[in-house]
Amino acid sequence: MQTEASPLVDKFQLTEDHDSVFPKGVPWVRYHGKYNDLSINIVCPGKDSSLGVDSVGTVSVSLLTYASVQALHPDIIINAGTAGGFKAKGACIGDVFLVSNVAFHDRRIPIPVFDLYGVGSRQAFYTPNLAKELNLKVGKLSTGDSLDMSPVDEAAILANDASVKDMEGAAVAYVADLLKVPAIFLKAVTDIIDGDKPTAEEFLQNLAAVCLALDQTVTQVVDFIVGKSFSEL
Amino acid sequence: MQTEASPLVDKFQLTEDHDSVFPKGVPWVRYHGKYNDLSINIVCPGKDSSLGVDSVGTVSVSLLTYASVQALHPDIIINAGTAGGFKAKGACIGDVFLVSNVAFHDRRIPIPVFDLYGVGSRQAFYTPNLAKELNLKVGKLSTGDSLDMSPVDEAAILANDASVKDMEGAAVAYVADLLKVPAIFLKAVTDIIDGDKPTAEEFLQNLAAVCLALDQTVTQVVDFIVGKSFSEL
């Protein structure tokens, strides 16, 4: 979402790409520039052209990830965004989790092997030094296209052993895996799913403040990455 | 799925593209050739490279649709596939529905306007003459990433007024809309969702026979399209 990206665009002094690398008509937004020795691109799914809301969810982020990798050939992807957290897994509002594993919780295909394809469990790129240096909470991420959590979703999220739940991560991981680009996932907790407040309300209430925490962590991650090889991360 | 495409590849005498228009490493398969005066491409998501099962669902088909439109610039998309049908809406095994509207049933975002984005209701390209000429049943399609149907999915499918339920259509419609390509949806019923047989079992039992019915209809649709303008469809 745009709310998640704006402070980072300022911090890295990026400029918006008006002669887009993306096809005409898509709402995707790209900011780019140099930060220290790194060439940085921030891409956002943008606003749905009919409805005017942020293009959240797995379909939109898959397309954006695919098109961005094809156009920009990144060495690494950082999927930074907001998420719901489980207090039973130690999550608190404002925590930024470094994700160890991703999986889907709303793709149930009860046919042998198809069931595994549906869950789509994948490891994030392994960055033990990054986790230690930045003292980040590490946990698993479960992804689905709903902001709420139905009883069957809840069972799948439990099976995925998730600390955080979002609407994009596992789809980004699928595309990154398909195109063989290492991917790191940073998920900032806007709402406590197993708490007593309604998700949508808590999400909207905390969004702006939590995005600042997220962006601070993304900056620290980028600063940590500068000048290092993959094996040092 | 490959099972859905193979008889059509033979019928249209298409050849597989070995010097792929798609990026290296993706499992997507393309068959192409000339049939009467039409240049035809059949694209399939192919087998998941780790698990070996067909790459079903919205993420995979979105990527394939996007990449195909970018590479092949089609005048029209026909999304042909299998679906579950509702006998309460008059669906029988082997029926091929021409879809009037598509929507998602597993993208619940209970925030105003985001809720509409999640449902993603779209009209298929309007083809009244095609429906009449081929005497096809016309109905609405609801799409989700699960083969089964949870209680919350069922409520959303009812709200979508769906005759058929699949795992791809609304995602194809999203990408087609994004890139401004007209899209037709043909969905052949492999299983009756509101019947008394388990979906996975009935699906696998009927798959091969229903694919033949689907392919016959696709051929009739292509024969009908040849030489016509959009306004004649």
Side-chain angles (χ1 to χ4, degrees), chain B residues 85-166:
Chain B
F86 292 90
K87 68 177 183 194
K89 291 279 182 185
C92 306
I93 301 285
D95 277 349
V96 181
F97 274 81
L98 178 68
V99 172
S100 56
N101 295 70
V102 302
F104 292 94
H105 57 252
D106 61 353
R107 310 197 326 171
R108 302 175 308 278
I109 315 175
I111 298 176
V113 194
F114 275 100
D115 51 0
L116 299 176
Y117 168 85
V119 173
S121 180
R122 285 181 168 78
Q123 287 192 331
F125 185 66
Y126 184 54
T127 56
N129 297 324
L130 174 71
K132 199 174 166 188
E133 175 75 19
L134 269 62
N135 196 26
L136 294 170
K137 288 187 182 178
V138 176
K140 294 181 184 174
L141 170 67
S142 192
T143 296
D145 273 305
S146 295
L147 185 65
D148 69 9
M149 184 173 71
S150 72
V152 284
D153 286 354
E154 186 173 8
I157 290 168
L158 274 171
N160 289 343
D161 190 29
S163 300
V164 278
K165 163 186 178 284
D166 81 342

Side-chain angles (χ1 to χ4, degrees), chain A residues 23 28 51 53-56 59 62-63 66-67 70 106-108 113-114 117 145-148 150 152-153, chain B residues 23 28 48 51 53-56 59 62-63 66-67 70 106-108 113-114 117 145-148 150 152-153:
Chain A
W28 311 333
L51 296 168
V53 294
D54 284 287
S55 306
V56 298
V59 164
S62 301
L63 295 171
Y66 176 86
Q70 292 301 106
D106 61 352
R107 311 197 324 172
R108 303 174 308 277
V113 193
F114 276 101
Y117 168 84
D145 274 304
S146 296
L147 184 65
D148 70 8
S150 72
V152 285
D153 285 355
Chain B
W28 312 332
D48 184 85
L51 296 167
V53 295
D54 284 285
S55 305
V56 297
V59 164
S62 301
L63 296 171
Y66 176 85
Q70 292 301 105
D106 61 353
R107 310 197 326 171
R108 302 175 308 278
V113 194
F114 275 100
Y117 168 85
D145 273 305
S146 295
L147 185 65
D148 69 9
S150 72
V152 284
D153 286 354

Side-chain angles (χ1 to χ4, degrees), chain A residues 1 26 42 54 73 76 84 95 98 117 120 124 130 132 142 144 154 177 193 216 231:
Chain A
M1 296 175 74
V26 302
I42 294 183
D54 284 287
H73 310 286
I76 194 163
D95 278 349
L98 177 68
Y117 168 84
L130 175 69
K132 199 173 164 188
S142 192
E154 186 173 9
D177 192 13
I193 301 163
Q216 195 174 18
S231 63

Side-chain angles (χ1 to χ4, degrees), chain B:
Chain B
M1 294 173 74
Q2 205 64 30
T3 320
E4 293 154 312
S6 295
L8 279 178
V9 169
D10 296 343
K11 163 77 193 177
F12 295 130
Q13 298 186 296
L14 306 181
T15 52
E16 189 170 346
D17 175 21
H18 288 292
D19 183 20
S20 180
V21 296
F22 301 130
K24 201 165 167 254
V26 302
W28 312 332
V29 184
R30 172 188 170 229
Y31 303 94
H32 62 111
K34 284 272 181 190
Y35 175 76
N36 294 337
D37 270 346
L38 290 181
S39 173
I40 294 188
N41 289 277
I42 294 183
V43 293
C44 306
K47 305 277 184 193
D48 184 85
S49 54
S50 313
L51 296 167
V53 295
D54 284 285
S55 305
V56 297
T58 64
V59 164
S60 175
V61 85
S62 301
L63 296 171
L64 174 64
T65 305
Y66 176 85
S68 299
V69 171
Q70 292 301 105
L72 307 169
H73 310 287
D75 293 315
I76 195 162
I77 294 168
I78 301 175
N79 175 226
T82 55
F86 292 90
K87 68 177 183 194
K89 291 279 182 185
C92 306
I93 301 285
D95 277 349
V96 181
F97 274 81
L98 178 68
V99 172
S100 56
N101 295 70
V102 302
F104 292 94
H105 57 252
D106 61 353
R107 310 197 326 171
R108 302 175 308 278
I109 315 175
I111 298 176
V113 194
F114 275 100
D115 51 0
L116 299 176
Y117 168 85
V119 173
S121 180
R122 285 181 168 78
Q123 287 192 331
F125 185 66
Y126 184 54
T127 56
N129 297 324
L130 174 71
K132 199 174 166 188
E133 175 75 19
L134 269 62
N135 196 26
L136 294 170
K137 288 187 182 178
V138 176
K140 294 181 184 174
L141 170 67
S142 192
T143 296
D145 273 305
S146 295
L147 185 65
D148 69 9
M149 184 173 71
S150 72
V152 284
D153 286 354
E154 186 173 8
I157 290 168
L158 274 171
N160 289 343
D161 190 29
S163 300
V164 278
K165 163 186 178 284
D166 81 342
M167 296 173 68
E168 284 90 13
V172 172
Y174 176 80
V175 179
D177 192 12
L178 202 65
L179 301 176
K180 304 289 169 237
V181 185
I184 294 174
F185 301 83
L186 297 168
K187 296 289 160 174
V189 177
T190 47
D191 55 277
I192 297 299
I193 299 163
D194 50 349
D196 48 13
K197 289 185 188 160
T199 291
E201 192 182 302
E202 202 178 12
F203 167 75
L204 291 172
Q205 201 171 49
N206 294 320
L207 183 60
V210 171
C211 283
L212 288 178
L214 174 64
D215 292 337
Q216 198 174 14
T217 303
V218 172
T219 309
Q220 290 171 337
V221 168
V222 171
D223 285 336
F224 181 82
I225 285 176
V226 174
K228 290 196 178 61
S229 66
F230 281 135
S231 62
E232 294 173 296
L233 301 182

